[in-house]
Amino acid sequence: MADAFSFSLQGTDGAARLGEFRTPHGVVQTPAFMPVGTQGSVKAMRHRDLEEAGAQIILGNTYHLYLRPGDQLIARRGGLHRFIGWPHPILTDSGGYQVFSLAARRKIAEEGAEFRSHLDGSLHLLTPESATDIQARLGSDIAMVLDECLAFPATQDEAARSMARSLRWAARCRARLEQIRDGQARDVGATNPGQAQFGIVQGGVFQDLRDQSAEATFGIGFEGYAIGGLSVGEPIDLMYSVVGETARRLPEAQPRYLMGTGTPEDLVECVARGIDMFDCVLPTRNGRTGQLFTSEGRLNIRNAKYAEDEGPVDSRCACYTCRTHSRAYLRHLYMAGEMTAGALNTLHNLSFYLDTMRRIRDAISLRTFDRFRQEFLRSVSRLSLDS
Ligand SMILES: [Zn+2]
């Protein structure tokens, strides 16, 4: 079952790549955007809304699912896909990012990260081995290694030490997954024998560290490779440059995932630099606060100027929200605190993101990606329609 995951590169246009990967729960076309389903649910969305919007894969957060309802409970219910009723591919993170965000409530050592639950203050230890076991019980199609999340700014020495620790942790995660695959860890109760595991390249904004990390992570050997530790406050041009240079060091025959990024502009700019997979909370989080992404820029539905605006959020969008409702009605729902405001706004934002990915894939396949990129950035990167 170790080859249940496979990636095929189907075309390129410059550094942009068109491909697809196969998982035990279906095929995902790349470049792909993964909506974030923190608690086994993409906030305010029903799964059928996600399917209609074109989501082929969602992301689950290990930290949250481990604490509540618990990975053991989910394994007893047959794994995450079955528990949440989503039969399509799922990627889980390692839980590390949330633990590192706990700041005062966590302690990091070589063994792993000790932390206190944000729910009840209980003490837990997340190690490379336990992060692997938890994800094996959840049974996601793609599991991520536990890595150390470095804050920005960091000195080169700090970044080097952290990168080296992440490599040692990556090797431990891989060794643990191999034990599980070989049947030496039956007590873990893995629910998806075809689960793939991705390594994560670290190294802050220091390209020589990124290069070392990419080479050593590839040396351990994973089904795919992620670039972590970006979009943490560094200047955008530096982020793009690190993404481009690092992607060039990663193997062509495997998928490349840029973690936790970004804006619609970031998606296009990072596809142009060779990235295949993205996740970000922006479309869902901003949907709930009334900020909507459109083909002409962002708008804030709270703005009084939409109070009697009969037009749809985006005249070029075919989502249910845009087909059915006016900006005036959406503004009213938001101002009245109606639950449907979050749902309709999130549906539009995710539809816009997923439609952007479809247009990106079409442009790469027609080898017109560069023209698409110029036109997209011209129309979308106006910061706000409200200013
Ligand atoms: Zn729409």
Side-chain angles (χ1 to χ4, degrees):
M1 286 300 281
D3 57 357
F5 182 92
S6 65
F7 175 72
S8 68
L9 187 60
Q10 298 172 328
T12 56
D13 187 1
R17 292 147 52 95
L18 180 74
E20 64 177 33
F21 58 83
R22 292 176 182 277
T23 79
H25 293 88
V27 173
V28 175
Q29 293 165 307
T30 61
F33 179 79
M34 303 184 281
V36 177
T38 303
Q39 314 260 14
S41 159
V42 174
K43 288 188 196 303
M45 290 290 92
R46 298 171 302 180
H47 295 337
R48 71 184 200 196
D49 299 325
L50 296 171
E51 287 168 344
E52 193 187 307
Q56 297 178 338
I57 179 170
I58 60 173
L59 182 147
N61 283 126
T62 288
Y63 169 84
H64 291 282
L65 295 167
Y66 159 75
L67 289 178
R68 182 177 59 194
D71 49 305
Q72 303 273 7
L73 182 149
I74 291 172
R76 287 195 297 276
R77 304 268 50 81
L80 190 57
H81 295 85
R82 200 171 145 218
F83 179 61
I84 72 172
W86 172 262
H88 314 295
I90 300 176
L91 178 146
T92 46
D93 64 4
S94 69
Y97 183 80
Q98 271 83 18
V99 168
F100 280 86
S101 313
L102 293 171
R105 298 163 71 92
R106 48 94 170 152
K107 228 165 41 198
I108 313 300
E110 186 64 21
E111 174 60 13
E114 193 182 69
F115 67 95
R116 286 196 181 277
S117 160
H118 73 288
L119 296 174
D120 60 7
S122 56
L123 197 61
H124 301 263
L125 179 66
L126 187 68
T127 66
E129 291 78 14
S130 72
T132 306
D133 289 356
I134 295 166
Q135 293 178 84
R137 281 181 210 109
L138 296 176
S140 53
D141 298 289
I142 301 171
M144 300 302 300
V145 298
L146 181 67
D147 61 339
E148 189 170 276
C149 305
L150 184 70
F152 179 86
T155 66
Q156 179 143 6
D157 277 356
E158 289 165 343
R161 271 197 302 276
S162 174
M163 183 271 278
R165 173 172 281 167
S166 285
L167 280 174
R168 294 191 295 274
W169 283 6
R172 285 167 59 189
C173 289
R174 192 62 181 180
R176 182 60 179 170
L177 183 68
E178 279 163 10
Q179 284 180 348
I180 294 170
R181 283 180 178 173
D182 293 348
Q184 297 166 42
R186 290 218 168 79
D187 53 317
V188 169
T191 58
N192 182 357
Q195 184 179 55
Q197 187 183 50
F198 282 16
I200 304 177
V201 174
Q202 286 287 358
V205 294
F206 305 100
Q207 196 56 51
D208 53 335
L209 296 180
R210 288 277 171 186
D211 294 350
Q212 282 176 42
S213 175
E215 192 180 337
T217 307
F218 178 60
I220 298 168
F222 294 94
E223 282 76 28
Y225 296 90
I227 300 175
L230 290 175
S231 293
V232 290
E234 74 282 0
I236 194 85
D237 290 340
L238 185 55
M239 192 265 272
Y240 289 162
S241 137
V242 171
V243 166
E245 289 301 310
T246 307
R248 290 190 329 146
R249 306 279 172 154
L250 294 173
E252 259 187 24
Q254 287 164 295
R256 305 163 178 170
Y257 163 28
L258 178 60
M259 302 180 79
T261 303
T263 63
E265 301 91 302
D266 291 343
L267 304 182
V268 171
E269 284 302 295
C270 294
V271 164
R273 289 164 172 80
I275 297 298
D276 307 307
M277 297 163 67
F278 301 88
D279 77 283
C280 190
V281 296
L282 269 185
T284 39
R285 179 180 291 163
N286 291 17
R288 299 195 301 281
T289 60
Q291 189 184 58
L292 301 173
F293 295 95
T294 83
S295 58
E296 299 184 302
R298 300 175 194 189
L299 66 83
N300 200 319
I301 203 68
R302 289 171 300 189
N303 196 313
K305 77 186 207 187
Y306 302 121
E308 297 194 51
D309 187 335
E310 271 303 307
V313 171
D314 186 347
S315 57
R316 291 181 58 186
C317 178
C319 84
Y320 172 80
T321 304
C322 291
R323 288 197 317 268
T324 316
H325 300 304
S326 64
R327 291 173 175 179
Y329 179 59
L330 293 171
R331 177 174 188 274
H332 159 69
L333 291 176
Y334 187 91
M335 301 311 280
E338 283 294 320
M339 276 191 276
T340 45
L344 292 167
N345 292 342
T346 303
L347 179 62
H348 166 74
N349 275 352
L350 280 178
S351 298
F352 177 75
Y353 265 63
L354 292 162
D355 190 53
T356 297
M357 300 317 291
R358 263 191 302 270
R359 293 166 62 206
I360 286 173
R361 292 194 297 267
D362 287 348
I364 300 172
S365 97
L366 296 169
R367 299 184 64 89
T368 56
F369 179 70
D370 201 50
R371 201 175 72 209
F372 167 81
R373 177 185 172 192
Q374 304 306 332
E375 284 169 9
F376 186 85
L377 295 177
R378 247 199 318 274
S379 60
V380 165
S381 66
R382 269 179 263 156
L383 265 183
S384 170
L385 295 175
D386 302 329
S387 52

